[in-house]
Amino acid sequence: MENNENVNSSTYNRVEKNMKDVVKNHVIYMKKYNIPLNLDQKKLPFIYWIPKMHKNPSKQRYIAASHSCSTKPLSKMITFCLKLIQSTHSNYCQKISKTKGFNRMWIVDNSMKVLENISKINEKTIKNIRTYDFSTLYTSIPHKKLKDRIALVIKECFNKSGRQYIHIGKTEACWSRSRSNNKISWDAKELIKHIRYLIDNIYVVCGDTIFRQIIGIPMGTDCAPFLANLFLYSYECEWMDKMHKENKTDFLKKFDFCSRYIDDLLCINNDELMDEVMTDIYPSELSLTSDNAIMKSNYLDLSLEIRNNKIHTSLFDKRDAFNFTIVNFPNLSGNIPEKQSYGVFTSQLIRYARCCQDFKDFRERTLTLVDRLVHQHFSIDQLRRTFMKFSECHYELLDKYDIKEVCEHCF
């Protein structure tokens, strides 16, 4: 994720404003556009940092605590809209892939899409893998470029969808040809206006001091990941469309198996071409760096290694390298529900089975987890029964191991 350790004075400006005056302006704006604001939300987010313990030496990640603040309702509604915008672009890019033969959408929501890509490309000969990440993405995006690029993406989406409005509900947004009488509805201009207002009104509190973020967007606000994703997407698809118009089809094929999770980028069989064109794709304000790996790398929760010209996957967890004990998973010595606690065990088994290509890796992870949970007052018999139920409900995840009586090998 984002490296925010280089937050500096150019990112934030100290403002000589009264907190009540800033919040009051937000309240007036929300009221004008019928955006509900609760009484406990009439405050500004405070900024804090958390240590990045997997870095040596340890670094910091700065986060704006926006779970309850005066821009929260607006950010939440924008999130629903941008999620719909991203999904619509993704569907359009799938059609482009079928008709024009190149991957125009690199955005992935999790490692499931990455595993799907690996399954496809493993039918071919794998030569190289490489990962990249953007240094200080959230605090490096210029506001003018962010506004212009997001506006471009939104207008393109409205034009391609053939719809005029987005209806915004309590949990999601949807396309519509007309305004709703019961829900808040925005057209392209209104959505762009609200996003610009949000970007211009990023305030955080540190102690008794108010700061306004003048570059980038803060980690912690609801729509930040979608703003970052679509901002980068606008440059990626623009570059690929240009390459396609220049009939560089074979060149574009080298980018078919690119996957980007916000600021983390994975390229498979790209032959290091990303190193050559990254400055052509992305704006100069952003720095894309590589791990320089070719045969082995880590991406999201996956450890990737080329073996016999195929990608071998296993689980990657950065916490494994910590030199101290992590307090996680339920402890049944306390007063917590047992059913949900054993559900945590099932969810981890699903995660292990999806990521681990070899049974040996799956078994080692499972045995370690069982030992951990038993020490946290889980019943070994109930864990066994839970495992049996998991193996029956998710047999398709275990079939690849070709192991009979899987449970007997894991307990």
Side-chain angles (χ1 to χ4, degrees), residues 16-80:
E16 299 299 331
K17 287 186 178 182
N18 185 287
M19 190 185 308
K20 290 182 179 179
D21 292 337
V22 176
V23 172
K24 183 180 179 181
N25 289 333
H26 292 169
V27 172
I28 292 172
Y29 187 88
M30 303 296 166
K31 188 175 181 179
K32 181 180 178 181
Y33 294 101
N34 298 316
I35 300 172
L37 188 67
N38 297 331
L39 187 62
D40 63 349
Q41 292 176 323
K42 294 181 179 181
K43 56 187 176 182
L44 297 180
F46 64 89
I47 194 166
Y48 67 96
W49 67 269
I50 57 176
K52 302 177 74 174
M53 301 304 297
H54 59 291
K55 298 289 186 179
N56 188 17
S58 176
K59 297 181 180 180
Q60 299 80 38
R61 173 177 291 138
Y62 289 86
I63 299 176
S66 307
H67 63 283
S68 181
C69 66
S70 52
T71 55
K72 171 73 174 183
L74 179 61
S75 182
K76 187 176 180 181
M77 293 170 70
I78 289 173
T79 300
F80 296 155

Side-chain angles (χ1 to χ4, degrees), residues 139-341:
T139 53
S140 299
I141 301 176
H143 279 185
K144 187 180 184 309
K145 286 188 177 180
L146 177 60
K147 293 175 192 175
D148 291 346
R149 284 286 167 168
I150 293 298
L152 238 145
V153 169
I154 291 172
K155 289 175 183 176
E156 182 185 15
C157 194
F158 269 84
N159 292 336
K160 285 183 168 61
S161 70
R163 302 289 194 270
Q164 287 183 292
Y165 300 97
I166 290 180
H167 290 342
I168 305 159
K170 293 182 178 180
T171 58
E172 62 181 3
C174 62
W175 291 108
S176 177
R177 297 185 186 277
S178 59
R179 286 194 185 273
S180 171
N181 295 324
N182 303 320
K183 298 178 181 178
I184 295 177
S185 302
W186 293 340
D187 60 20
K189 289 183 179 179
E190 290 167 327
L191 176 56
I192 292 168
K193 178 181 179 178
H194 293 317
I195 291 174
R196 285 176 174 169
Y197 177 84
L198 183 68
I199 293 171
D200 288 336
N201 284 268
I202 301 173
Y203 291 93
V204 294
V205 176
C206 184
D208 297 327
T209 307
I210 300 176
F211 295 90
R212 178 172 169 260
Q213 188 164 347
I214 58 173
I215 298 176
I217 46 181
M219 291 183 72
T221 192
D222 289 48
C223 61
F226 288 99
L227 287 173
N229 255 338
L230 292 173
F231 176 75
L232 295 176
Y233 163 77
S234 72
Y235 287 98
E236 291 160 355
C237 67
E238 180 180 78
W239 177 79
M240 284 185 281
D241 289 343
K242 179 184 176 184
M243 292 297 102
H244 183 260
K245 288 179 181 178
E246 295 175 1
N247 293 319
K248 296 183 178 180
T249 307
D250 292 338
F251 184 77
L252 271 180
K253 295 297 287 182
K254 293 290 185 179
F255 295 83
D256 273 357
F257 293 95
C258 288
S259 303
R260 181 175 54 74
Y261 181 81
I262 308 179
D263 58 347
D264 291 325
L265 178 65
L266 168 69
C267 298
I268 303 174
N269 270 5
N270 181 252
D271 297 337
E272 301 179 41
L273 289 178
M274 181 59 73
D275 291 29
E276 300 177 18
V277 301
M278 62 174 69
T279 54
D280 296 331
I281 300 176
Y282 301 107
S284 58
E285 292 84 358
L286 302 184
S287 175
L288 187 64
T289 58
S290 169
D291 64 352
N292 294 319
I294 295 178
M295 303 300 290
K296 185 175 182 179
S297 191
N298 299 319
Y299 187 71
L300 302 183
D301 60 346
L302 298 173
S303 179
L304 310 175
E305 183 179 2
I306 298 178
R307 298 181 187 174
N308 300 320
N309 298 321
K310 306 295 178 186
I311 295 180
H312 176 275
T313 64
S314 57
L315 184 70
F316 169 71
D317 192 332
K318 64 182 68 173
R319 294 170 296 186
D320 292 342
F322 290 3
N323 59 358
F324 52 86
T325 303
I326 303 296
V327 178
N328 60 350
F329 302 120
N331 192 314
L332 293 185
S333 63
N335 186 23
I336 60 174
E338 285 197 8
K339 185 176 180 180
Q340 288 85 342
S341 299

